[in-house]
Amino acid sequence: CFMHALEGFLKDFVIGALVKGGISLLLGLLKPKKGLLGVLKNIFSADTATFAFFTGAFLATYRLTLCKLRAIRKKEDKYNSMIAGFVAALTLAFDNSKSRRITVAIYSLARSLESIIKVLDHNEIVKERKWWPVLLLNILHIYIAVTWYFDIDGFPPGLNKPIEKMTGAKENDYIIIERVCRARYFSENK
């Protein structure tokens, strides 16, 4: 179990560092204002190392938890992977980037809801329907809208663009949300 988890940690640490470093390199080449030294600083930054540590810890935690659950429960079923996925998601705490944590949490929420539906369908508690993906998508849209509305600073950069296109939001709308709606919400909940 431990060697399998360690192997997963090292593998995903390297992949995470390469992905984050590669994205930093591409963005640095697209915006050459910082020069080569600035690009190299971004590639080998603490943020890249933190992201790589998160990806490695995620897979290692998942593998170790799954292996231990199989040994303890002496069963090979979908519950083991669901529990292991939940425990592995706790490694998000290692990532310093609030917007990246939210992005991964949104993705993880979608995957966990999908897993729950598949387990319920497998146990014949609820029959999976063709429209389930639409329901899951709407749940995520509600989550994204609430996050955007109440915590714009923690909202992942770039995700506001589709919302602005769908809703036709303009700069004045942000001012209204900031000064009126959020202020009222936070004053009522003190």
Side-chain angles (χ1 to χ4, degrees):
C1 278
F2 291 105
M3 290 308 292
H4 188 59
L6 180 61
E7 175 191 327
F9 175 81
L10 294 174
K11 177 183 152 205
D12 264 23
F13 181 87
V14 170
I15 290 171
L18 289 173
V19 167
K20 178 74 171 75
I23 290 171
S24 295
L25 176 65
L26 288 174
L27 291 175
L29 293 174
L30 291 173
K31 297 179 181 178
K33 292 179 183 177
K34 293 182 179 179
L36 183 59
L37 187 59
V39 172
L40 289 174
K41 278 184 181 179
N42 280 342
I43 291 172
F44 297 106
S45 68
D47 187 48
T48 301
T50 302
F51 179 73
F53 182 77
F54 156 68
T55 58
F58 186 89
L59 184 60
T61 304
Y62 178 81
R63 284 184 175 184
L64 185 62
T65 306
L66 185 62
C67 185
K68 290 300 181 185
L69 283 171
R70 287 175 180 158
I72 292 168
R73 295 184 67 228
K74 297 186 183 1
K75 285 183 180 179
E76 178 64 43
D77 60 9
K78 294 183 180 190
Y79 293 113
N80 290 344
S81 60
M82 212 164 52
I83 294 166
F86 175 79
V87 172
L90 297 175
T91 60
L92 272 172
F94 295 130
D95 197 348
N96 297 339
S97 171
K98 185 175 182 180
S99 65
R100 194 166 48 225
R101 281 195 315 264
I102 291 172
T103 303
V104 172
I106 290 170
Y107 173 74
S108 298
L109 176 64
R111 296 295 300 193
S112 65
L113 292 174
E114 181 185 8
S115 295
I116 290 168
I117 288 172
K118 291 199 180 298
V119 166
L120 292 174
D121 181 50
H122 178 74
N123 292 331
E124 297 178 356
I125 296 170
V126 173
K127 181 138 176 68
E128 188 174 0
R129 306 280 185 202
K130 280 199 264 185
W131 49 266
W132 280 103
V134 175
L135 176 65
L136 293 177
L137 188 64
N138 284 325
I139 290 170
L140 290 176
H141 282 157
I142 290 168
Y143 174 79
I144 289 170
V146 167
T147 304
W148 177 70
Y149 186 78
F150 291 112
D151 190 16
I152 199 75
D153 298 331
F155 198 73
L159 273 181
N160 60 325
K161 299 298 180 203
I163 290 174
E164 288 171 359
K165 283 190 178 193
M166 286 187 296
T167 62
K170 303 285 184 241
E171 189 64 34
N172 290 343
D173 299 328
Y174 291 113
I175 293 169
I176 291 169
I177 289 171
E178 191 68 41
R179 292 188 183 157
V180 178
C181 301
R182 284 195 194 133
R184 183 178 299 157
Y185 171 78
F186 289 115
S187 68
E188 290 174 0
N189 291 314
K190 283 186 180 179

